[in-house]
Every structure is written in structure tokens, then in C-alpha cells.
Amino acid sequence: MEYQNASEMNGGVDRNLNTCKRNSLCREKKDFKDTVDAKKLSHIEKAYTTILSELGEDVDREGLLRTPLRAAKAMQFLTKGYKETTQDVLNDAIFDENHEEIVIVKDIELFSLCEHHLVPFFGKAHIAYLPNKKVVGLSKLARIVEIYSRRLQVQERLTKQIASAISEALEPAGVAVVIEAVHMCMVMRGVQKMNASTVTSVMLGRFHDDPTARKEFLSLTMRK
Amino acid sequence: MEDSEQTQYGSTEKPDRGAVLNGHFDGMVKCPAPGGSGRTAAAAATSAAAGAQNPGAESGAHQPVMESWREERTRSVEDNESSLPSLAAAYTTILRGLGEDPQRQGLLKTPWRAATAMQFFTKGYQEKIIDVLNDAIFDEDHDEMVIVKDIDMFSMCEHHLVPIFGRVHIGYLPNKRVLGLSKLARIVEIYSRRLQVQERLTKQIAVAITEALHPTGVGVVIEATHMCMVMRGVQKMNSKTVTSTMLGVFREDPKTRDEFLALIRS
């Protein structure tokens, strides 16, 4: 399924976020947003209290007293990627540079949540691109991974979103993304296979068309 | 035979709900005496201390054991089915609160899957040690250390409801009675599939083995990674938490403890 741009995938994107933070009208919007956020937090907190009691636990024991609040905040942190866009992160870190060889950032730790079971999956992402007169600050590649991984995800979609985001932002000659992850939903429950890991990859541009470029990328990243 | 656990199962005491903690109640506690005969120390039964620690009951050489052998199940298989709809509704609320659309294709059945998954992660509340161990205790004239190590363990942090995973190493010195080896792993499963704190988990495993076998000593070491520290908060990827509980001769005799620790490292 082809998407027009990365922001259409994976549910809605909060478009209010890109308003200017300097004038009072925007501050009003921000205050309103804060109230809405606090309300959402308390809904999630109540939901967690229900969950704890339905699981057979005693919600009033000391260790669980503030757990609904902590769990709600944890869940919000783990899905904070919904509130961030690539533009916020990249806007000023794209530089003109006459470099056309492969640039790789590998072993980027990645933590996400399986959208089917709400259980974490984590692993590493390796990203490569072939610049076309424009290079990006290296940490921005890791920040793009953060934006898309801190959501309810499916590993295939996550890989594609990262590749598309870099493609749209830099218009490079090629982009390659490989993610290797362990899914707790397979390890802790279900089939319970401790050592299984899932690898997905997306190759765009020259990495897709040219086998030599792809081979170079894979040999530089997948070395043990 | 006269000290066998069987006679105590007939007791009809039922704790009131208020005294149940993490599936256990502060009932009668037993001191693990090396001779194999249980000495019961009366503990303040009903006004349960919030945590597992009961400082008033500590004494000199023999550390009193904090939980009772006869835990009540707080959940049954029927409870699971009847609580599924409200669990699923709670998860739908959470999805909406996070800004997601519960009606999109990938999330349509997620509340049910997440609810069933969470019930699986807390299935320890449905199980009792007695059911698992009843027929796998054998009389054997073996008094050297028995170790089962690298038992994979998965638990849930009770503070953030996020997974904890790691390995458990268990060693014990039998006192005329040995336990089926997989039963040690099953004890780990029962206590780890709950909302836990690693310190308490370690102690519960050690206590359960002590009360089942009355061995000369028990040692339990757990090394785990806490996703609440790795995925959020401080975000330290490579940190590990190690806790240990040494009871009986493992606590008193440094050479035994050293042997145990050396064998689990190798």
C-alpha cells in the first residue's frame, strides 16, 4: 500500500503542534492542549486501576498505590512519537555538502510497542543513505528512529516510515533501513521462543536498483 | 513423615481479603531450622505490614521466613473469562487516551489481545505451589549442592506495568529430600508471572523451596533487565539488577555460598 507521505501512516498526527510558540494566541492553544492532556492522563489512569483490580491484585497495597499514574505516564512516554514530526527534528540540520558516498549510522537502539499486544519490542536499526548534495546531522537519523518507534507499531511499517521520512527530507540518491528486533509478545507469551529475532528492511533508490550498493551496505552493517 | 506438609493442607483457616498481598498473606511463618523440623513463629497475622518485611519477627541466627506456604489463589480460570470484557474496555480507553484510533485495522482487536496477554503475564495469581510440587518430592540420600541455573524469567514491574526479564539461578543443599528439577523452574514461573518487585520475587522463590523441602540451605540469585529503566526514565540500555537470597547454610557458611556463586558463574 503506497502512502503519499509518512505522516499518513500509523494513525493521526497532531497537526496543532506546528504552530508558532511565540504569540499569545498560540499560548492559549498550548494551555488548552495541556488541559486536554491532563484529562487524557486521568482517563488512562482510571483504566489502569480497572486493569489492576480485574487481574486479581489488591489496588490498595503499598506497591500498587501510585502504579496507575506511573503506568499511564510510562505509556504516554512510550507513545510520545505521535506528537513529534520529522520537520521539528530536522529543520535546521540539513547541510550542503559535496559528498556522494554511502553514509551509515548503525546499531541505533530502538524501543517500540507492538500494536497488537501492547507489549514492547526492541532491537537495533541500521540506516544508510547516499547523499545528493545534502547531508543531515547524524544524530537526526537516530531522532527520526525515535519519532517513529515511540508509537504503537508493526515492525514492517516502522521500517518503511523511517525510510520514507529520510527520503522526503533529504531527497537522496538512495536510502536503506534495516531493523533487527526481538518481540516480547513472542518471547514472553504465545510461542515463547527466547532467541528468535525479526529482521525487516526497506531499500529505496539506488539501494533498490543497484545490487553493488546494497551489498556494500549489508556488508558494512551486518558484520558480527 | 510426621512433619510432612500433607497434614497442614487440611487447615481451614481462610485469611480475610485485606491481608492478601501479591497473592500471599501474612499468616503463620516458619523458621527454616537445619534439623528439618519446622518451628512456627507467630506473626501478627491480620494487620498485614505493607511490604513483605516484618522487622519485629527477625531474630538472631535463623531468619524467619516471611510468607506462608499456603497462599490463596486470588484468581481462577473462570475469573479470567469474566473479567475479559472490562479489561478490554479499559484497554480501549487507554488507546483512545494515547491519541490512537481504536477503529483502525491494526488496532481493532488489540484490546482483547492486550487483555489476554496481560492475564497471561499475571497467571501466577491462578497457581499454587502445592499443585505444582505435590508429587515431585523424593527421598534421596544426597547431601551435596544441587543447582539449576540460567532459568529464563519474565515478570512485570508492579510500578510501571512494563516487563522485567532475566535469569534465575537456584541452588539448594538437600536434607534427605530432593525436588524434581523442573519444579524449581515451575516455582520461578508461579512467582514471576505476577506484578513484582525483584527483591520480593527472589525471596518468595527461596522461601517456597525452603518450606517445601526443609533443605539445609537455599540460594537464589536473579539477574534481570528492567524495561522501566531501559525504555523510559533513566534509559540505561545495559544496566542489570542482581538480587540474591541466601537461607540456612548458604547464609551462615561462606564456603558454601562461594561454591554456589562460583558454580553459577561458570
Side-chain angles (χ1 to χ4, degrees):
Chain A
M1 214 168 142
E2 277 308 295
Y3 293 97
Q4 293 302 103
N5 54 46
S7 60
E8 276 182 2
M9 301 187 247
N10 199 348
V13 168
D14 194 345
R15 301 205 183 272
N16 287 331
L17 244 349
N18 281 333
T19 53
C20 155
K21 295 172 178 55
R22 277 190 288 264
N23 67 48
S24 59
L25 194 57
C26 294
R27 223 174 291 132
E28 254 179 51
K29 253 184 179 170
K30 189 177 177 306
D31 288 341
F32 172 68
K33 249 198 72 39
D34 286 343
T35 331
V36 167
D37 281 345
K39 213 166 155 197
K40 283 182 182 171
L41 186 67
S42 79
H43 285 316
I44 303 178
E45 198 184 332
K46 283 197 194 78
Y48 272 114
T49 313
T50 313
I51 290 173
L52 287 178
S53 58
E54 292 290 339
L55 291 175
E57 261 287 4
D58 171 15
V59 259
D60 295 321
R61 71 174 172 91
E62 189 206 21
L64 292 187
L65 269 180
R66 294 185 50 199
T67 291
L69 181 61
R70 283 185 293 241
K73 285 193 181 161
M75 197 51 122
Q76 282 191 330
F77 179 85
L78 297 177
T79 53
K80 68 180 168 68
Y82 288 125
K83 297 190 170 23
E84 298 161 353
T85 65
T86 320
Q87 278 165 322
D88 301 330
V89 153
L90 281 190
N91 244 346
D92 37 4
I94 298 182
F95 308 104
D96 297 315
E97 197 71 39
N98 199 2
H99 182 84
E100 286 172 355
E101 298 291 328
I102 194 172
V103 177
I104 300 178
V105 179
K106 60 178 188 160
D107 295 331
I108 303 170
E109 281 118 8
L110 174 158
F111 298 94
S112 189
L113 276 178
C114 158
E115 73 177 15
H116 299 141
H117 301 92
L118 301 185
V119 164
F121 68 91
F122 52 87
K124 293 188 169 162
H126 311 287
I127 299 179
Y129 71 103
L130 286 161
N132 184 14
K133 305 287 187 262
K134 286 197 274 188
V135 299
V136 70
L138 299 169
S139 76
K140 304 303 177 274
L141 294 172
R143 287 185 190 273
I144 292 178
V145 170
E146 271 287 295
I147 290 176
Y148 290 108
S149 60
R150 299 287 185 184
R151 301 181 177 194
L152 303 183
Q153 275 289 9
V154 158
Q155 191 175 326
E156 295 86 336
R157 185 198 308 135
L158 171 61
T159 323
K160 197 181 191 98
Q161 282 176 322
I162 295 171
S164 307
I166 299 170
S167 223
E168 280 166 26
L170 295 180
E171 288 155 350
V175 179
V177 178
V178 170
I179 295 183
E180 190 176 339
V182 169
H183 290 245
M184 290 278 105
C185 53
M186 262 181 77
V187 171
M188 281 179 80
R189 60 165 289 290
V191 264
Q192 297 192 58
K193 296 295 179 191
M194 308 292 148
N195 301 314
S197 65
T198 307
V199 182
T200 50
S201 72
V202 167
M203 308 283 173
L204 300 175
R206 246 178 55 209
F207 285 110
H208 186 268
D209 304 327
D210 179 6
T212 334
R214 200 183 318 157
K215 202 167 159 194
E216 184 184 353
F217 165 61
L218 292 174
S219 69
L220 286 169
T221 50
M222 303 306 271
R223 254 188 322 208
K224 287 289 165 213
Chain B
M1 284 270 287
E2 53 284 5
D3 277 344
S4 102
E5 309 303 336
Q6 309 296 333
T7 54
Q8 294 173 7
Y9 298 165
S11 165
T12 50
E13 277 179 32
K14 278 208 175 287
D16 57 316
R17 188 82 168 95
V20 174
L21 299 165
N22 194 356
H24 301 269
F25 58 90
D26 273 353
M28 306 282 266
V29 298
K30 276 206 170 110
C31 305
S37 61
R39 254 187 298 128
T40 351
T46 46
S47 56
Q53 288 299 328
N54 190 358
E58 283 193 1
S59 64
H62 298 296
Q63 193 69 15
V65 148
M66 300 305 163
E67 274 87 19
S68 166
W69 168 247
R70 289 167 287 142
E71 319 91 59
E72 288 288 308
R73 274 191 206 99
T74 57
R75 209 166 88 187
S76 68
V77 176
E78 294 78 28
D79 284 343
N80 277 355
E81 287 181 18
S82 57
S83 30
L84 212 48
S86 40
L87 277 173
Y91 274 111
T92 312
T93 313
I94 292 173
L95 288 178
R96 233 176 254 122
L98 294 175
E100 262 286 9
D101 169 21
Q103 300 305 315
R104 72 172 172 88
Q105 191 213 27
L107 294 186
L108 264 181
K109 290 177 64 184
T110 292
W112 297 91
R113 282 186 292 242
T116 325
M118 195 52 119
Q119 285 185 330
F120 182 86
F121 296 144
T122 53
K123 70 178 166 68
Y125 292 129
Q126 293 166 215
E127 298 162 350
K128 276 163 67 173
I129 302 288
I130 299 166
D131 301 330
V132 155
L133 291 188
N134 239 350
D135 38 4
I137 298 178
F138 308 104
D139 298 314
E140 197 71 40
D141 193 15
H142 182 83
D143 59 358
E144 296 290 333
M145 202 180 293
V146 177
I147 296 178
V148 178
K149 60 178 186 163
D150 294 329
I151 302 170
D152 291 305
M153 177 275 292
F154 299 95
S155 189
M156 290 294 266
C157 162
E158 75 178 14
H159 298 144
H160 301 93
L161 300 185
V162 164
I164 301 170
F165 54 88
R167 292 186 163 170
V168 182
H169 311 286
I170 301 177
Y172 72 101
L173 264 170
N175 183 17
K176 306 284 184 271
R177 289 157 74 176
V178 299
L179 184 59
L181 298 170
S182 77
K183 304 302 176 279
L184 291 170
R186 287 185 191 273
I187 293 177
V188 170
E189 269 289 295
I190 291 181
Y191 287 116
S192 60
R193 298 287 187 181
R194 299 182 176 193
L195 303 184
Q196 274 290 8
V197 157
Q198 191 176 327
E199 296 87 335
R200 184 196 310 134
L201 172 60
T202 322
K203 196 173 199 109
Q204 284 176 330
I205 295 170
V207 162
I209 298 169
T210 305
E211 292 187 322
L213 294 180
H214 294 296
T216 320
V218 176
V220 177
V221 173
I222 299 187
E223 283 175 33
T225 306
H226 291 241
M227 289 274 101
C228 53
M229 263 180 78
V230 168
M231 283 180 82
R232 59 163 291 289
V234 265
Q235 299 192 59
K236 294 296 178 190
M237 312 291 152
N238 301 315
S239 67
K240 282 194 154 99
T241 306
V242 181
T243 52
S244 69
T245 298
M246 306 286 175
L247 298 178
V249 76
F250 279 74
R251 175 179 283 236
E252 286 148 24
D253 179 10
K255 291 208 295 283
T256 313
R257 199 184 322 151
D258 288 344
E259 182 186 346
F260 170 58
L261 294 175
L263 285 170
I264 61 177
R265 290 272 162 265
S266 61

